[in-house]
């Protein structure tokens, strides 16, 4: 089985797939490390989440905070539900590969391909979106934990040290949930890049580079980042 898998693709296919995986893993590692140093959009957002938690514990009425957390959970739930439909659609396509083979042969620059190769590419896409689904559902659970922490927050009249400890806890859980959501969204981007493999390995590499450039620009050079960095 392993030998069959190795010989299924050309060296160009394997090189493109390796570049795709290294790009995804490498960028995710880079972005997460930058976030821990409070750099980039993700890191700056961490600061605002902590500031939000510090404001929350000193408020008497915390209904606005509950509403904001509910909005975050609804947004994440939307993506989780959408991901399920995408995975179901990919599995349905896997059952109609004969027509897909004919369709891909008509694409410009597409090469002759076999049913087995198309199956492998579809299951790569399915794997990407399954990964995204797990990230979104874990994010939902963490936002649910955040709502519990908000409900269990001490009175705004409690000692300052106790309020600060609880704010730190809420800010950390909020950031953890947000990070998982970001990883799920990032998987969507790389899912679009993987579509290029259906056309040609060179297109696969080009799409991967395009996605990396978009992610980097939005995370580290966007107008949103500059606005959130303003004092």
């Amino acid at each position: 089985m392993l030998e069959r898998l190795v010989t299924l693709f050309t060296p160009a296919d394997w090189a493109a797939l390796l570049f795709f995986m290294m790009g995804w893993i490498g960028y995710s590692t880079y972005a997460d490390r930058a976030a821990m140093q409070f750099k980039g959009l993700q890191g700056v957002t961490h600061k605002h989440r902590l500031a939000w938690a510090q404001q929350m514990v000193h408020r008497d009425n915390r209904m606005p905070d509950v509403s904001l957390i509910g909005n975050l959970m609804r947004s994440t739930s939307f993506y989780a539900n959408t991901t399920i439909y995408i995975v179901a659609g990919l599995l349905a396509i896997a059952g109609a590969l004969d027509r897909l083979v004919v369709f891909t042969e008509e694409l410009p620059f597409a090469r002759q391909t076999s049913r087995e190769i198309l199956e492998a590419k579809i299951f790569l896409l399915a794997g990407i979106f399954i990964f995204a689904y797990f990230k979104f559902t874990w994010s939902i659970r963490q936002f649910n934990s955040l709502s519990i922490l908000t409900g269990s927050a001490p009175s705004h009249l409690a000692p300052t040290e106790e309020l600060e400890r609880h704010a730190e806890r809420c800010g950390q859980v909020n950031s953890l949930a947000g990070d998982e959501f970001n990883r799920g969204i990032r998987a969507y981007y790389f899912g679009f890049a993987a579509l290029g493999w259906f056309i040609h390995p060179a297109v696969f590499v080009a799409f991967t580079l395009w996605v990396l450039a978009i992610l980097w620009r939005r995370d580290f050079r966007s107008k949103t980042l500059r606005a959130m960095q303003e004092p």
Side-chain angles (χ1 to χ4, degrees):
M1 180 64 181
L2 182 60
E3 293 179 357
R4 176 59 180 166
L5 184 62
V6 171
T7 58
L8 188 61
F9 299 112
T10 65
D13 284 311
W14 282 114
L17 181 60
L18 179 62
F19 180 80
F20 171 79
M21 297 304 298
M22 289 179 63
W24 187 357
I25 296 171
Y27 182 82
S28 297
T29 303
Y30 170 74
D32 289 344
R33 287 182 178 177
M36 288 188 292
Q37 298 171 2
F38 298 102
K39 297 178 181 178
L41 185 59
Q42 191 173 341
V44 171
T45 305
H46 288 345
K47 291 183 179 180
H48 287 285
R49 288 187 177 116
L50 180 58
W52 172 16
Q54 290 171 340
Q55 292 291 328
M56 181 271 293
V57 294
H58 288 94
R59 274 195 284 266
D60 182 21
N61 181 12
R62 290 162 182 167
M63 288 306 298
D65 305 289
V66 174
S67 178
L68 288 170
I69 295 170
N71 181 60
L72 291 172
M73 293 181 68
R74 283 191 296 273
S75 299
T76 311
S77 298
F78 169 79
Y79 277 100
N81 293 332
T82 302
T83 307
I84 283 293
Y85 293 131
I86 293 174
V87 173
L90 290 170
L91 295 179
I93 291 174
L97 280 179
D98 293 333
R99 281 179 288 178
L100 184 60
V101 169
V102 175
F103 173 75
T104 54
E105 288 176 349
E106 296 176 354
L107 291 174
F109 310 111
R111 302 173 300 167
Q112 294 291 328
T113 187
S114 67
R115 182 186 179 92
E116 291 176 313
I117 292 176
L118 276 178
E119 281 181 345
K121 293 177 180 180
I122 288 173
F123 282 117
L124 170 66
L125 272 177
I128 292 171
F129 286 104
I130 289 172
F131 172 85
Y133 176 76
F134 277 101
K135 291 300 178 181
F136 289 136
T137 52
W138 180 222
S139 177
I140 292 171
R141 290 189 64 185
Q142 289 175 311
F143 279 130
N144 184 63
S145 298
L146 176 62
S147 66
I148 294 172
L149 285 173
T150 302
S152 66
S155 168
H156 68 289
L157 300 176
T160 302
E161 183 179 349
E162 182 181 355
L163 292 175
E164 290 299 321
R165 283 200 307 268
H166 199 83
E168 181 71 26
R169 189 180 300 115
C170 289
Q172 185 176 2
V173 173
N174 196 351
S175 291
L176 289 172
D179 288 346
E180 292 298 301
F181 179 77
N182 287 333
R183 295 182 185 110
I185 292 294
R186 197 179 296 144
Y188 264 63
Y189 279 83
F190 283 100
F192 286 118
L195 291 174
W197 200 14
F198 286 88
I199 302 174
H200 193 278
V203 178
F204 189 16
V205 171
F207 278 18
T208 302
L209 286 171
W210 177 57
V211 163
L212 287 170
I214 290 175
L215 288 172
W216 180 82
R217 183 182 178 280
R218 292 182 177 181
D219 285 341
F220 298 98
R221 289 294 182 272
S222 65
K223 293 180 180 179
T224 302
L225 172 61
R226 289 196 294 271
M228 295 188 71
Q229 284 176 327
E230 288 293 329

